[in-house]
Amino acid sequence: MKQFLSLFVALCSLSLFAQKQKQLDALAAEFTQKSLPLFKEVLSIPNDAFYPDWIEQNVQWSEKNFTQRGFKTERISTQAAPLLLASRSFPKAKKTVLVYLQMDGQPVDPSRWTQDDPYQPVVKKQNEEGQWEIIDWTALENYQDDWRIFARSASDAKGPVAMFLAAMNAMAKIGQTPNYNLKVILDFEEELGSPNLPKAVLDNREMLTADLLVIFDGPMHRLNKPTLSFGARGIATIQLTTYGPIVPQHSGHFGNYVPNPAFKLAKLLASMKDEQGKVLIPGYYDGIVLDQATKDILKATPHDEKQLQDLIQVGHFDRVGPNYQEAIQYPSLNVRGMQSGWINEKVRTIIPAWARAEIDVRLVKESNPERLLRLIKEHVENQGYLVLNREPTKEERLAHPKVATFTSKVSYQSFRTPLNSEIGLWLRKALKRGFGEEPIRVRMSGGSIPISPFVNTLELPAVAVPTVNRDNNQHSPNENLRLGNYRDGIKTILAILTEKL
């Protein structure tokens, strides 16, 4: 009899679970359609943070749309663009969840987009040749999951904003509210590194106080399955310049005689890494120890190396770690851009006057950012360079065969939350209820999110819930959001909003 009762209870639980999942599916499908005009509207507002007038339009749009959904909005002033805090309290709530959303986007080069205006969203589907072709917006009434909306910030990160607002509309329809209070912080300078965020958080810590932090940002795992990311690397940047003649010189008259700064820079950069991509600077990886249990978790995270090789068309990967997840647990050293002289149709037969590298360092929790920058600078000095934080004078050029300018900036630090923390278990339960399977858990993502001030100043446990497709071209021309991801993103947020805390 006891076995029969246990089986009956289990079957009832499964039936109730299936019913809730169907309700989430139906709501997500309904409010995908209903929210697409809103999504199109917000994508049509330019959002490059270098243009304050554009950002002001986005702030006003956010104030209007969060207020319409019962939130009280308040601007948090900074030296540049404000932050926007949207707050809403609910009956019997004992805890508060802070949600981070981003509204600004990377600059655009319209000439490299396959549409007239990156700020005028278009719908595209792939033809038989694999090319993306524009289709009429009205076709979205019967969209297919693999169709995509192309526009700047479609994925990074106005998509999650539209998903969140759609999920709030769905909650209103079924007359349900979270059992916790909500505070939503909207960042309008994320793509600039959120330079004013740390001070704003410090000055307004009482206003921003909460129990947990959920970040709706970033791409899902490459399998495009429900994903939780428990950390992100921080970021610091370096500008490194080497010098040749005071002005460019004729390469015929002076080749083999006047030193070329491009070769100096190339040798200098090459001295920093070995053939496997590991940083050779002594002490660079000090303090990072991965025990076997952690290594097992990292190894278990799904990753198809051959598929990724084929997708991005490279013959091999660096081996800082034995697998992708382990590799990104270490600080990186990346040349993100180089310049010297002229190329392509402007090429000239000259010895350049200078060569410059823009470098980024992705930070991990165990590494002190200032220490890493100091180690890199000392390495340049150990290669025989006089290292300055400005352009050299004539006297310095004449007195030293090798001169370099080195300037750096720490944007923000890394964060990482334990996988079995309260917020981790709560979010796992929500996504499992929504999708019927355990989410993929990522210990730390390789990208950077400027929320370390919330983690460090407010002492909040934080987890990122990515919703967009990984192949979205974020930061690049032809950024896009897959429509199946848009719908599932609404479902993801609905599952979290309806999960008791």
Side-chain angles (χ1 to χ4, degrees):
M1 184 66 177
K2 287 182 179 180
Q3 289 180 339
F4 175 78
L5 285 173
S6 297
L7 179 61
F8 178 75
V9 170
L11 289 172
C12 288
S13 297
L14 284 172
S15 176
L16 182 61
F17 185 89
Q19 288 176 13
K20 289 182 177 180
Q21 194 170 334
K22 284 184 178 180
Q23 183 189 41
L24 288 176
D25 287 338
L27 285 169
E30 177 184 351
F31 284 90
T32 293
Q33 291 287 358
K34 288 184 175 180
S35 66
L36 284 172
L38 181 80
F39 190 27
K40 183 180 183 181
E41 177 183 87
V42 71
L43 290 175
S44 301
I45 306 173
N47 64 340
D48 184 339
F50 281 108
Y51 298 92
D53 290 346
W54 287 357
I55 293 303
E56 175 61 23
Q57 293 177 50
N58 283 274
V59 175
Q60 291 181 14
W61 185 92
S62 301
E63 288 173 327
K64 172 187 172 183
N65 280 279
F66 277 88
T67 300
Q68 287 176 346
R69 288 157 181 81
F71 287 85
K72 175 186 175 183
T73 63
E74 185 171 357
R75 295 191 184 200
I76 299 175
S77 298
T78 76
Q79 291 183 348
L83 296 162
L84 184 65
L85 178 65
S87 305
R88 187 173 172 187
S89 299
F90 297 99
K92 299 181 181 180
K94 295 181 180 179
K95 293 189 176 183
T96 298
V97 174
L98 181 64
V99 171
Y100 175 88
L101 294 170
Q102 171 198 340
M103 280 291 287
D104 66 316
Q106 282 278 316
V108 299
D109 177 358
S111 67
R112 299 180 62 192
W113 286 67
T114 55
Q115 63 197 68
D116 292 337
D117 184 348
Y119 294 119
Q120 290 301 315
V122 296
V123 184
K124 295 185 182 183
K125 67 176 182 179
Q126 277 187 308
N127 58 28
E128 293 180 356
E129 289 74 39
Q131 303 296 318
W132 289 99
E133 58 182 24
I134 296 176
I135 58 176
D136 193 270
W137 191 269
T138 58
L140 289 176
E141 294 177 2
N142 297 291
Y143 73 87
Q144 296 179 19
D145 283 357
D146 287 331
W147 292 3
R148 303 190 182 197
I149 294 176
F150 283 72
R152 173 54 86 220
S153 298
S155 278
D156 187 20
K158 285 184 175 179
V161 176
M163 295 171 195
F164 184 88
L165 295 173
M168 291 302 301
N169 287 350
M171 292 279 285
K173 177 183 178 177
I174 60 175
Q176 193 169 340
T177 59
N179 76 328
Y180 51 86
N181 298 321
L182 278 171
K183 291 182 179 180
V184 181
I185 192 79
L186 289 104
D187 189 350
F188 297 87
E189 291 187 313
E190 196 272 351
E191 299 299 354
L192 300 181
S194 301
N196 298 296
L197 184 62
K199 186 177 187 302
V201 173
L202 189 63
D203 293 345
N204 298 276
R205 58 187 308 161
E206 289 187 13
M207 184 190 307
L208 297 169
T209 185
D211 298 289
L212 309 171
L213 172 61
V214 178
I215 306 137
F216 292 113
D217 192 18
M220 298 170 70
H221 186 273
R222 195 165 296 281
L223 293 178
N224 213 35
K225 291 186 175 183
T227 306
L228 295 175
S229 181
F230 288 77
R233 294 195 286 190
I235 187 169
T237 55
I238 297 166
Q239 187 181 84
L240 179 62
T241 306
T242 57
Y243 297 92
I246 189 66
V247 293
Q249 298 296 314
H250 192 290
S251 65
H253 296 325
F254 292 106
N256 294 346
Y257 194 69
V258 172
N260 188 312
F263 278 107
K264 288 183 179 181
L265 182 63
K267 290 178 181 179
L268 188 53
L269 295 172
S271 71
M272 296 181 184
K273 283 192 172 186
D274 67 13
E275 289 293 322
Q276 298 299 314
K278 292 182 180 179
V279 176
L280 294 170
I281 299 170
Y284 199 80
Y285 299 128
D286 284 1
I288 299 137
V289 179
L290 303 175
D291 59 27
Q292 192 57 50
T294 300
K295 288 185 177 183
D296 290 343
I297 291 171
L298 297 171
K299 188 177 180 180
T301 303
H303 178 69
D304 190 327
E305 189 167 279
K306 290 187 180 299
Q307 184 186 57
L308 182 60
Q309 252 186 297
D310 183 70
L311 179 67
I312 63 177
Q313 298 181 30
V314 295
H316 71 96
F317 290 112
D318 287 345
R319 291 299 175 192
V320 178
N323 56 62
Y324 170 71
Q325 286 296 329
E326 191 166 327
I328 62 174
Q329 308 304 309
Y330 294 89
S332 70
L333 180 59
N334 174 62
V335 178
R336 59 180 180 162
M338 297 174 68
Q339 183 178 340
S340 188
W342 294 267
I343 63 169
N344 297 329
E345 68 279 358
K346 296 182 180 180
V347 66
R348 305 175 189 182
T349 51
I350 53 95
I351 297 169
W354 52 266
R356 180 168 297 149
E358 298 285 357
I359 297 169
D360 63 58
V361 177
R362 297 288 176 165
L363 308 166
V364 299
K365 191 174 181 180
E366 292 81 2
S367 295
N368 181 302
E370 299 292 350
R371 175 178 173 273
L372 289 183
L373 295 175
R374 176 175 54 79
L375 288 176
I376 298 168
K377 181 181 177 183
E378 288 175 353
H379 176 80
V380 177
E381 291 173 335
N382 291 337
Q383 303 305 302
Y385 280 83
L386 169 68
V387 179
L388 307 168
N389 62 357
R390 52 170 173 78
E391 287 194 11
T393 63
K394 179 179 180 179
E395 291 73 22
E396 288 165 337
R397 285 172 173 270
L398 294 173
H400 300 273
K402 294 181 179 180
V403 184
T405 297
F406 182 103
T407 58
S408 62
K409 175 186 176 183
V410 178
S411 294
Y412 40 88
Q413 179 56 297
S414 172
F415 82 95
R416 193 170 66 242
T417 300
L419 271 65
N420 290 323
S421 56
E422 177 191 17
I423 184 173
L425 296 174
W426 171 60
L427 290 172
R428 282 178 65 188
K429 186 177 178 183
L431 294 194
K432 186 174 181 180
R433 178 170 57 87
F435 292 88
E437 62 179 321
E438 282 282 352
I440 294 171
R441 294 182 296 160
V442 177
R443 183 177 186 254
M444 187 169 66
S445 69
S448 302
I449 310 172
I451 55 82
S452 58
F454 296 108
V455 176
N456 299 329
T457 302
L458 303 180
E459 298 181 343
L460 291 180
V463 175
V465 185
T467 54
V468 302
N469 46 296
R470 184 165 288 273
D471 59 341
N472 60 46
N473 294 335
Q474 67 185 81
H475 290 200
S476 301
N478 302 310
E479 180 178 350
N480 64 82
L481 176 59
R482 180 177 173 271
L483 281 159
N485 282 77
Y486 183 73
R487 183 199 59 241
D488 286 348
I490 295 172
K491 181 180 173 182
T492 294
I493 297 173
L494 264 173
I496 293 170
L497 291 174
T498 54
E499 185 65 41
K500 293 188 181 300
L501 181 61

